[in-house]
Amino acid sequence: MTQRRRKLRKSRKFLCCSNMTCRGSRSLIQICAYLAFITTTVADDREECDKTKCPGPLAYYEVLGCIPVFKKEGDCCATKYNCDHLKQRSTSKCYVNGKEYEIGEVLKEEDANPCDIGCTCHPGYDKIATFNCAIVDCFQGPAKPGCYRKRSPLNCCPGEEVCPENPEDRAICNVNGKEYRDGEHFSVESEPDLTCICQPGYEGKNVEPFCVKPKHPYCSPDFRHASNIFNNCPPVYYSTQSPQTGCSVFSRCQNNNDTVIHKEDDLKSADKNLDGLETQTDFGGGGWSF
């Protein structure tokens, strides 16, 4: 009988956090309730984490494959990004999609976007290898009144001009409750990387030939601006842009006239020497720190 009571007491002790009707365990119940509150609060904070509000050019770091480093586990925003893998690269090779290309090697179709025509890996002006592609001129002038140009995400330039007799004959695509007409670009909220153009036959499926995912990120400096990576040149954005999601305008390399600004509390600093532009970086130390 005594042994049975001991087992019962032991089982009741472990059930108290889930069974709040246990008698004589008021303090334990309060502790369990507090722990439950803390757990729920932490979970809610993680669910509410909005990466687009974190400082720094997050899209830039993502395409470079840099690893976020957090001050403590569970934090929403990183304090810095580890890009050490970039230091292992060779200045005599081109890089795209994690692949290496030798000098003189032609870009493979599997790695080429529509406008990547005649691309070859070759030494840059500073002897750092980069892809050099043919200059594509897509200028065709505006379409005539009542006309439009056919477009496809699979092609670099617009196609033929179409002048329908009746405006109603132009195909319409319904995307998220909004209408787009044949030849017009549209975006997919759940898949922002897709390049989509309304075309006849679209039935709500965001697949080829209506939508295409780039074969390599358009925002990545890997492809044509490898020198900026080797020289630790941070990206520059227009003041109206979102560095968290947008592509940089160009890169800003350090020079002897730069002044180092330390703002450790904000994890970022701004260089506003260029009118209408701002670089969200800290030139102090090695690499980029936000």
Side-chain angles (χ1 to χ4, degrees):
M1 186 68 176
T2 304
Q3 186 176 2
R4 183 180 178 185
R5 287 181 178 177
R6 288 178 180 173
K7 289 183 178 180
L8 180 59
R9 288 175 181 174
K10 186 176 182 180
S11 62
R12 288 182 63 191
K13 185 176 181 180
F14 285 99
L15 287 172
C16 280
C17 277
S18 59
N19 184 2
M20 293 303 177
T21 61
C22 293
R23 297 180 181 178
S25 304
R26 183 175 180 180
S27 60
L28 181 58
I29 292 174
Q30 290 176 335
I31 293 174
C32 291
Y34 175 74
L35 291 175
F37 171 77
I38 294 298
T39 302
T40 303
T41 302
V42 172
D44 289 343
D45 288 343
R46 289 181 178 178
E47 290 177 0
E48 295 175 0
C49 173
D50 185 356
K51 295 290 186 181
T52 62
K53 295 181 180 179
C54 296
L58 307 189
Y60 188 84
Y61 281 134
E62 183 178 351
V63 296
L64 286 178
C66 298
I67 302 173
V69 178
F70 300 93
K71 185 175 182 179
K72 61 179 183 292
E73 185 179 356
D75 282 355
C76 178
C77 300
T79 56
K80 60 182 179 180
Y81 283 78
N82 186 337
C83 302
D84 287 347
H85 66 287
L86 299 177
K87 299 177 182 178
Q88 308 303 319
R89 291 185 172 184
S90 170
T91 57
S92 60
K93 293 183 179 181
C94 295
Y95 296 86
V96 61
N97 293 335
K99 303 174 184 177
E100 296 181 353
Y101 280 78
E102 301 291 341
I103 297 292
E105 192 172 358
V106 177
L107 182 69
K108 297 180 176 64
E109 180 65 26
E110 63 197 51
D111 295 322
N113 286 330
C115 289
D116 296 334
I117 300 173
C119 300
T120 305
C121 178
H122 81 117
Y125 67 93
D126 53 1
K127 305 304 180 183
I128 296 177
T130 186
F131 281 103
N132 186 26
C133 305
I135 298 176
V136 181
D137 184 3
C138 291
F139 180 75
Q140 295 174 313
K144 294 192 292 287
C147 303
Y148 67 96
R149 294 193 181 279
K150 300 283 289 184
R151 298 176 185 273
S152 169
L154 297 172
N155 299 328
C156 179
C157 298
E160 62 178 340
E161 186 178 68
V162 179
C163 302
E165 293 183 6
N166 299 314
E168 294 78 11
D169 293 337
R170 188 174 178 180
I172 295 177
C173 303
N174 194 307
V175 183
N176 296 326
K178 186 176 180 180
E179 289 188 348
Y180 296 86
R181 297 184 177 276
D182 184 16
E184 293 181 342
H185 291 265
F186 67 86
S187 58
V188 181
E189 293 181 2
S190 59
E191 297 180 272
D193 291 339
L194 290 179
T195 299
C196 301
I197 296 178
C198 177
Q199 300 175 73
Y202 178 78
E203 297 179 349
K205 296 182 179 180
N206 303 314
V207 296
E208 293 186 11
F210 311 103
C211 296
V212 174
K213 187 173 183 178
K215 293 182 179 179
H216 67 82
Y218 285 108
C219 285
S220 177
D222 272 337
F223 196 67
R224 301 196 190 195
H225 305 288
S227 178
N228 293 332
I229 298 176
F230 282 97
N231 292 313
N232 293 329
C233 304
V236 178
Y237 302 84
Y238 286 112
S239 58
T240 55
Q241 280 186 285
S242 169
Q244 291 79 2
T245 58
C247 295
S248 61
V249 183
F250 58 88
S251 293
R252 164 69 154 79
C253 296
Q254 302 95 320
N255 61 60
N256 294 331
N257 295 323
D258 286 334
T259 300
V260 178
I261 302 174
H262 295 283
K263 296 183 67 175
E264 296 179 357
D265 293 338
D266 294 336
L267 302 178
K268 64 179 180 179
S269 63
D271 182 336
K272 298 183 178 179
N273 294 330
L274 301 176
D275 186 26
L277 298 170
E278 60 180 21
T279 59
Q280 297 199 5
T281 185
D282 184 347
F283 288 141
W288 308 305
S289 175
F290 292 84

